[in-house]
Amino acid sequence: MDSELHVVMCPFLAFGHISPFLQLARKISSCAASGGVRVTFLSAAANVPRIESLLPASTSISVVPLHLPAVPGLPPGVESTADLPPTSPAAELLKLAVDGTRPQVESLLRELRPHLAVFDFCMQWLPEVAEPLGVRTLFFSVFAAVSTAYLTVPARRLHGPAPTLGDMMSPPPGFPSAASSIRSVPAYQAADFLYIFKSFGGGVCVYERVVKCIESCSAIVAKTCTEMEGPYIDYIERQFGKPMLLAGPVVPAPLEGKLEARWAKWLGGFAEGTVVFSSFGSETFLTDEGERELLLGLEMTGMPFLVVLNRPKSGTNGEHEEVRKRLPEGFEERVRKKHGKWREFLLEKELQDGFTAKLVERLRQLAKA
């Protein structure tokens, strides 16, 4: 295919999903070896301004709004998990709202006629509307391959629709245990895994959504590489009989310009590779006890560290004082004395490699098939 490749992208309504989809869109659309890739990005209308603010001034990515239908129990105006308090049960209703966009998505695919549609776990129905239109579909997993291999493969169905805690403590049959350090997981972690088998509001559980996505799509896109997760990639391909297209570690491009002098001076006071960075994502909130344990643990390493502490939006301007109140007794003084600062932020680095060019070539081959 020598003409411009047109790709539609459909992430779930959480910025932990939107962000990697957006980074993938930026990579494939700006790849010099791509021969031209145009991306149409679909998301709920309220998310469009924030998504557009993350795009470069000159881009071949356009953002098209979806209008979420009303869902009983979902507060008006909620169009991403960022609009909800942490652990709110209403977050599950966003999946039902996405299900309700099926007619809109089908209409857009008919109108746009893209070559490919890259979609998330919440749209397990997308292949049913895309494939008859000649649009090949790719499921993009925003999680590590080891997570998919352990949790969401057909082999997990051997335990029935409601696996037990004991079932989830052990890997599924055929799991590449010989090449893995994972022999089992603790009970508390297995208990968390049981969430993916629960139905909320009569909707399809996460496990069935993911498995149907992969079983119905043309191929899987994963933000990993064989050097990092080769055995898990092979296992997933065997389980589903589908190829995995590897995007490499999809991370944001570094910000341009110089680091502020105060941070450059502080970081410059330590040897390369000796500063520990800790962050759990923009929508993960630790308990007060969890924060104290994290901070004390980092202090015990004896190494300088940068840690991001998140709190739900409070609407107040006293966030710094709130952080101070939650610090372990004497922590601020001890850390300031040893390392000079106690609250820092870090920029992420982009991995420079050939993953993007290889991925785009595989996408073109798939579009021609």
Side-chain angles (χ1 to χ4, degrees), residues 20-246:
F21 268 76
L22 192 55
Q23 297 306 329
L24 180 63
R26 292 183 63 163
K27 281 180 173 292
I28 64 174
S29 64
S30 62
C31 178
S34 69
V37 177
R38 177 165 57 97
V39 175
T40 300
F41 205 91
L42 306 185
S43 191
N47 301 327
V48 171
R50 181 175 174 184
I51 293 170
E52 290 181 334
S53 72
L54 299 173
L55 296 174
S58 177
T59 181
S60 56
I61 304 172
S62 59
V63 188
V64 175
L66 294 174
H67 302 285
L68 299 187
V71 174
L74 185 65
V78 171
E79 300 200 352
S80 79
T81 56
D83 299 326
L84 292 166
T87 70
S88 170
E92 298 299 328
L93 300 179
L94 278 172
K95 296 169 189 152
L96 301 184
V98 171
D99 287 339
T101 66
R102 177 171 176 163
Q104 292 178 64
V105 173
E106 181 173 7
S107 178
L108 283 168
L109 292 178
R110 288 184 183 278
E111 176 187 344
L112 297 171
R113 293 288 176 174
H115 300 98
L116 303 169
V118 180
F119 68 110
D120 210 339
F121 80 98
C122 58
M123 288 185 170
Q124 74 282 358
W125 39 263
L126 189 136
E128 296 175 7
V129 301
E131 297 287 351
L133 300 175
V135 181
R136 306 299 297 275
T137 57
L138 300 100
F139 173 69
F140 179 32
S141 173
V142 302
F143 300 102
V146 63
S147 175
T148 302
Y150 192 94
L151 295 174
T152 52
V153 290
R156 279 289 177 202
R157 285 181 171 145
L158 298 178
H159 300 302
T164 66
L165 181 67
D167 293 332
M168 298 308 296
M169 289 176 66
S170 300
F175 186 82
S177 296
S180 174
S181 61
I182 302 174
R183 301 293 184 270
S184 64
V185 300
Y188 74 88
Q189 194 170 21
D192 286 342
F193 292 162
L194 290 174
Y195 153 78
I196 68 172
F197 296 94
K198 294 180 180 178
S199 172
F200 297 87
V204 182
C205 70
V206 170
Y207 173 83
E208 291 299 340
R209 284 181 184 269
V210 173
V211 171
K212 185 175 181 181
C213 283
I214 301 178
E215 289 180 336
S216 304
C217 71
S218 302
I220 310 161
V221 177
K223 56 172 193 173
T224 187
C225 58
T226 53
E227 292 84 353
M228 294 171 61
E229 298 190 286
Y232 307 119
I233 293 167
D234 293 342
Y235 176 62
I236 295 166
E237 289 184 328
R238 291 196 303 271
Q239 279 283 299
F240 288 99
K242 300 285 175 73
M244 289 190 74
L245 313 185
L246 307 182

Side-chain angles (χ1 to χ4, degrees), residues 352-365:
Q352 301 292 343
D353 50 37
F355 285 114
T356 306
K358 293 177 182 177
L359 174 62
V360 171
E361 178 58 29
R362 294 290 300 277
L363 293 179
R364 288 187 171 278
Q365 292 172 358

Side-chain angles (χ1 to χ4, degrees), residues 322-336:
E322 288 181 16
V323 170
R324 282 191 170 92
K325 290 179 180 178
R326 300 195 307 273
L327 295 175
E329 185 176 356
F331 176 83
E332 183 177 350
E333 292 73 20
R334 295 193 304 271
V335 174
R336 181 185 286 113

